Amino acid sequence: GHDVTILPGASVVIDETTALVNSLILGDGSGTATLAMTNWSACLKAKYLNILKGGVLTNGGAFTNEAFQTRVFVECTDLTVTEGGKIDLSQRGWSGSIYAISKNNGYGPGRGRSNVGASHGGYGAMDTLDSARPERYGDAAQPETAGSGGGKGGNYGNNGNGGGVVR
């Protein structure tokens, strides 16, 4: 297999399963290098995956329907993430409410509603006892599904997206 290096300033997208590479180095400590996976079934295959300072492995971002779900799916023998490198799927699951479109509701199977937090492996928070909580889904210890988006908590604006999936 080949040796691949993604240098700072580069943003590479993977939308299908890769051929096996010997090594993939993401970043070199001098700036941001991003590798984004944009298809649920895409898999990055590498013997050695090194995410150095400034390297970011992520997915395609928050989504509003199942057809556009993404995750980070890696098969490797050795994974190293150094200080300053990261696998970041924060707020990269189901989208939170988008005021102009969904008004109060977030997206996903445990989506939050007006003043009710989204559920996933556990229940979301509520501000009153007369609100029904969204059903929880997935496994909190070994999540295989994306986190649902939060509902509207104020008068205007968008709300928090759920977390993404790493496999």
Side-chain angles (χ1 to χ4, degrees):
H2 296 286
D3 294 316
V4 177
T5 301
I6 300 173
L7 295 172
S11 184
V12 176
V13 172
I14 294 176
D15 63 359
E16 60 186 40
T17 298
T18 66
L20 178 65
V21 297
N22 184 55
S23 69
L24 189 144
I25 299 171
L26 182 56
D28 72 355
S30 66
T32 302
T34 303
L35 178 59
M37 302 188 75
T38 61
N39 185 323
W40 185 264
S41 62
C43 178
L44 170 61
K45 295 182 176 188
K47 288 183 183 174
Y48 305 99
L49 174 57
N50 296 297
I51 304 173
L52 306 179
K53 181 178 179 182
V56 180
L57 178 58
T58 190
N59 70 359
F63 44 87
T64 58
N65 68 58
E66 279 190 41
F68 296 106
Q69 288 190 66
T70 62
R71 66 178 171 181
V72 167
F73 181 11
V74 176
E75 288 181 3
C76 64
T77 303
D78 185 34
L79 169 65
T80 302
V81 181
T82 65
E83 183 177 350
K86 59 185 171 180
I87 299 173
D88 187 4
L89 288 131
S90 303
Q91 303 235 6
R92 299 183 81 79
W94 287 97
S95 178
S97 69
I98 301 170
Y99 185 75
I101 299 170
S102 63
K103 302 290 186 226
N104 297 326
N105 295 334
Y107 293 86
R111 70 180 175 263
R113 296 181 303 281
S114 182
N115 299 318
V116 177
S119 295
H120 187 220
Y123 290 109
M126 303 183 323
D127 76 340
T128 63
L129 294 176
D130 61 349
S131 299
R133 285 185 173 160
E135 286 300 313
R136 58 190 169 135
Y137 65 99
D139 183 335
Q142 294 183 331
E144 294 181 5
T145 54
S148 290
K152 182 180 142 229
N155 291 329
Y156 302 100
N158 303 333
N159 290 281
N161 301 329
V165 178
V166 177
R167 177 173 175 201

